[in-house]
């Protein structure tokens, strides 16, 4: 199946700094990628839909100025958490739809655990 | 918006038995429904997809049913093994978005 790579897998930062998370589709082109946030024992919460070459579409309640998304190419989307605070600590996961056959399945990255001190 | 409900309590079963997990959605009938497996600290992994015009789908020891009248999907793992222990998420696709349930943790005891 298709592979989505996410980096870094873990990051610890100080409050007030910015953190960038990368999501790459390794063997297929992804015109659309999705960014999720997951708290312990809770569901994946869709934050935004990232579209190659255009602005991301954010879900209600997600601050677009705080969570900057850039989808500059068909294989790379980035999520930047700006001016991070402890409440931003979470597990962030990206996904892409596609691969060969377009079966409708989502391919997920391994996730990035963000801890803001 | 769509609300997906899965049993939040862990399901504990004995090895060799069949595990059955439930997913209910509250609003619009999705174009298709999917099941994923998630291990701790990892991203979800796709297992099965079932479309709204399909009642049942099988893949090896896995079986998924889809009842649009009940707004429910059942996910079965037959001859369960300790390696099947994980959290299982269901997801529905509506209006170009995927909505996930909170998952049910399955523990298969040897």
């Amino acid at each position: 199946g298709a592979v989505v790579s996410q980096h870094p897998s873990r990051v610890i930062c100080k409050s007030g700094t910015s953190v960038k998370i990368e999501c790459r589709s390794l063997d297929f082109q992804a015109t659309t990628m999705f960014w999720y946030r997951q708290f312990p024992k809770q569901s994946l919460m869709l934050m935004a839909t990232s579209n190659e070459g255009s602005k991301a579409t954010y879900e209600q309640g997600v601050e677009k100025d705080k969570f900057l998304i850039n989808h500059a190419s068909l294989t790379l989307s980035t999520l930047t958490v700006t001016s991070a605070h402890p409440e931003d600590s979470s597990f962030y996961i990206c996904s892409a739809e596609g691969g060969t056959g377009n079966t409708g399945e989502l391919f997920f990255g391994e996730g990035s655990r963000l801890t803001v001190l | 918006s769509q609300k997906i409900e899965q049993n939040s309590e862990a399901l504990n079963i004995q090895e060799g038995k069949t595990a059955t997990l439930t997913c209910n959605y509250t609003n619009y009938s999705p174009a298709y429904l999917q099941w994923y497996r998630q291990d701790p600290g990892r991203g979800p992994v796709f297992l099965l997809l079932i479309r709204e015009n399909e009642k049942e789908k099988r893949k090896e020891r896995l079986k998924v049913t889809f009842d649009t009248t009940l707004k429910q999907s059942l996910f079965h793992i037959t001859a369960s093994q300790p390696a099947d222990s994980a959290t299982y998420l269901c997801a529905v696709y509506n209006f170009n978005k995927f909505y996930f349930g909170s998952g049910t943790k399955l523990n298969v005891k040897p």
Side-chain angles (χ1 to χ4, degrees):
Chain A
V3 177
V4 173
S5 174
Q6 196 171 332
H7 177 81
S9 57
R10 291 179 183 274
V11 57
I12 300 173
C13 69
K14 292 183 179 179
S15 188
T17 60
S18 294
V19 173
K20 180 186 283 189
I21 301 170
E22 292 187 348
C23 180
R24 293 179 186 274
S25 56
L26 296 186
D27 50 1
F28 68 103
Q29 294 183 331
T31 54
T32 303
M33 290 186 174
F34 302 93
W35 285 95
Y36 293 87
R37 181 174 182 177
Q38 187 177 35
F39 292 104
K41 297 185 180 180
Q42 292 190 26
S43 178
L44 283 79
M45 184 194 81
L46 179 64
M47 297 175 66
T49 302
S50 171
N51 303 297
E52 187 268 335
S54 64
K55 292 183 179 181
T57 304
Y58 289 82
E59 293 300 297
Q60 192 173 7
V62 178
E63 299 176 60
K64 61 181 181 181
D65 294 330
K66 179 159 188 67
F67 299 100
L68 300 179
I69 292 173
N70 185 286
H71 195 152
S73 77
L74 287 171
T75 59
L76 174 64
S77 175
T78 61
L79 168 68
T80 301
V81 183
T82 63
S83 187
H85 287 94
E87 58 265 30
D88 298 324
S89 299
S90 189
F91 191 53
Y92 293 88
I93 313 176
C94 71
S95 70
E97 185 181 8
T100 58
N102 193 21
T103 58
E105 66 182 274
L106 283 179
F107 299 95
F108 284 86
E110 287 298 309
S112 299
R113 172 77 58 194
L114 170 63
T115 302
V116 184
L117 302 176
Chain B
S1 64
Q2 189 70 277
K3 187 176 179 184
I4 315 300
E5 297 171 342
Q6 292 185 258
N7 193 340
S8 59
E9 291 185 16
L11 177 62
N12 299 304
I13 64 167
Q14 203 67 35
E15 182 177 9
K17 300 293 185 183
T18 296
T20 299
L21 288 73
T22 304
C23 173
N24 294 289
Y25 57 94
T26 56
N27 289 330
Y28 316 105
S29 220
Y32 51 82
L33 186 148
Q34 305 173 327
W35 283 88
Y36 289 80
R37 170 183 173 142
Q38 186 175 24
D39 291 285
R42 309 290 294 272
V45 175
F46 173 81
L47 296 175
L48 277 172
L49 176 153
I50 187 165
R51 302 188 186 280
E52 60 178 335
N53 61 346
E54 298 176 316
K55 292 201 179 302
E56 183 179 298
K57 186 75 78 73
R58 292 175 184 262
K59 179 182 177 183
E60 298 173 351
R61 294 185 295 113
L62 308 181
K63 185 177 85 171
V64 172
T65 62
F66 193 5
D67 189 326
T68 55
T69 302
L70 293 178
K71 295 188 176 182
Q72 181 181 81
S73 175
L74 299 179
F75 176 76
H76 307 272
I77 305 176
T78 58
S80 60
Q81 305 165 0
D84 295 327
S85 298
T87 295
Y88 291 86
L89 308 171
C90 78
V92 302
Y93 185 73
N94 277 125
F95 312 116
N96 298 320
K97 296 178 187 177
F98 291 87
Y99 298 89
F100 283 83
S102 56
T104 298
K105 190 172 183 343
L106 173 66
N107 296 313
V108 181
K109 300 182 185 303

